[in-house]
Amino acid sequence: MRIMLVEDDDLLARSLCDLLRGAGHAVDHVSCGEDALLFVTHEPYAALILDVGLPDINGFEVLRTLRRRGARVPVLMLTARDGLDDRVRGLDLGADDYLRKPFAPEELEARVRALGRRRGGDPTPEVTIGTLTVNRSTGEASLAGRPLDLRRREAAVLDALATRAGQIVVREILQGEVFGFDEPVGQNALEVYVTRLRAKLGPEGPRIRTVRGIGYMLDAR
């Protein structure tokens, strides 16, 4: 998934970015609420991790503004506060989940995975298309019961296509979900990963179609 992290503690932000990227996600990081509003309004994020205590406008106001603008991105709020009132306020403003600092890395990863499944409209971690099974929680996939050896970016592309099987995924949207804005991306990088996936799926797996000039589609069979 492509995730926006809004956190003004640089040390914690670097740690969380490394953690999430290591789990296969593309992560963009900003340290203030105004930047969060700018990027989340215009980019296709699968999840937003939002700190409450920001230096300009607090996380509650960021969330309130996003929901007023119609943004439906799932939001996980982070806070060092332990008050019930704050948790209730965040949930009432449209947060999907709440996590108090300090937290275990495994818990953050699990909550992010749950947000991603919620965004896709299906709470189950596995997606099955014909002989292909994709586990969205682990990033692993199997074909006819055989594990597929996928690199991190290949798994991200396959997840994005599998959760929309039978639908055209616009190239720019797919690229935006797989790569962060501060990552150097070659002109043909996405095509390289799609080509590798096609080779690994082979004739047994569902076909990845190129819709010329638009994007890609994974056959829903």
Side-chain angles (χ1 to χ4, degrees):
M1 297 186 297
R2 186 177 182 187
I3 298 169
M4 167 58 75
L5 170 65
V6 190
E7 171 59 64
D8 65 318
D9 182 323
D10 288 339
L11 184 60
L12 177 59
R14 286 196 297 270
S15 175
L16 293 180
C17 285
D18 289 345
L19 173 72
L20 293 167
R21 286 169 182 157
H25 304 294
V27 185
D28 295 336
H29 167 242
V30 296
S31 57
C32 66
E34 291 291 350
D35 285 347
L37 291 174
L38 175 64
F39 286 107
V40 175
T41 301
H42 297 97
E43 296 291 331
Y45 291 104
L48 169 63
I49 302 175
L50 177 61
D51 187 28
V52 170
L54 297 172
D56 51 354
I57 53 177
N58 66 44
F60 295 128
E61 291 306 312
V62 172
L63 179 59
R64 186 199 307 275
T65 302
L66 287 173
R67 293 307 189 222
R68 282 178 176 172
R69 292 178 180 177
R72 301 177 63 185
V73 57
V75 176
L76 169 62
M77 301 200 77
L78 303 180
T79 181
R81 306 175 185 177
D82 194 27
L84 175 61
D85 289 346
D86 282 338
R87 295 198 299 274
V88 170
R89 181 184 178 190
L91 294 170
D92 282 345
L93 286 173
D96 296 85
D97 202 355
Y98 220 99
L99 190 57
R100 180 176 177 269
K101 303 174 183 177
F103 47 80
E106 296 83 1
E107 183 176 9
L108 176 70
E109 288 186 89
R111 288 175 184 261
V112 168
R113 290 194 297 266
L115 287 185
R117 296 195 298 270
R118 186 177 305 169
R119 174 179 179 264
D122 185 353
T124 59
E126 288 192 345
V127 177
T128 300
I129 303 101
T131 58
L132 172 69
T133 299
V134 178
N135 189 310
R136 304 181 64 205
S137 292
T138 64
E140 298 173 344
S142 62
L143 189 64
R146 267 191 346 270
L148 288 176
D149 181 18
L150 299 177
R151 295 179 180 268
R152 180 167 65 96
R153 295 295 185 206
E154 294 167 359
V157 173
L158 183 59
D159 178 271
L161 293 174
T163 54
R164 302 178 179 94
Q167 304 174 38
I168 298 173
V169 183
V170 176
R171 187 185 189 282
E172 289 75 16
I173 291 177
L174 182 58
Q175 183 165 299
E177 292 190 5
V178 173
F179 302 102
F181 60 51
D182 59 347
E183 295 178 272
V185 181
Q187 184 176 358
N188 298 317
L190 188 59
E191 286 78 3
V192 169
Y193 292 117
V194 169
T195 299
R196 290 176 181 173
L197 279 174
R198 283 175 172 148
K200 292 182 179 183
L201 292 174
E204 292 183 335
R207 178 183 174 190
I208 301 176
R209 298 178 181 270
T210 298
V211 183
R212 190 173 299 278
I214 301 177
Y216 300 95
M217 181 178 70
L218 185 70
D219 280 349
R221 63 173 179 84

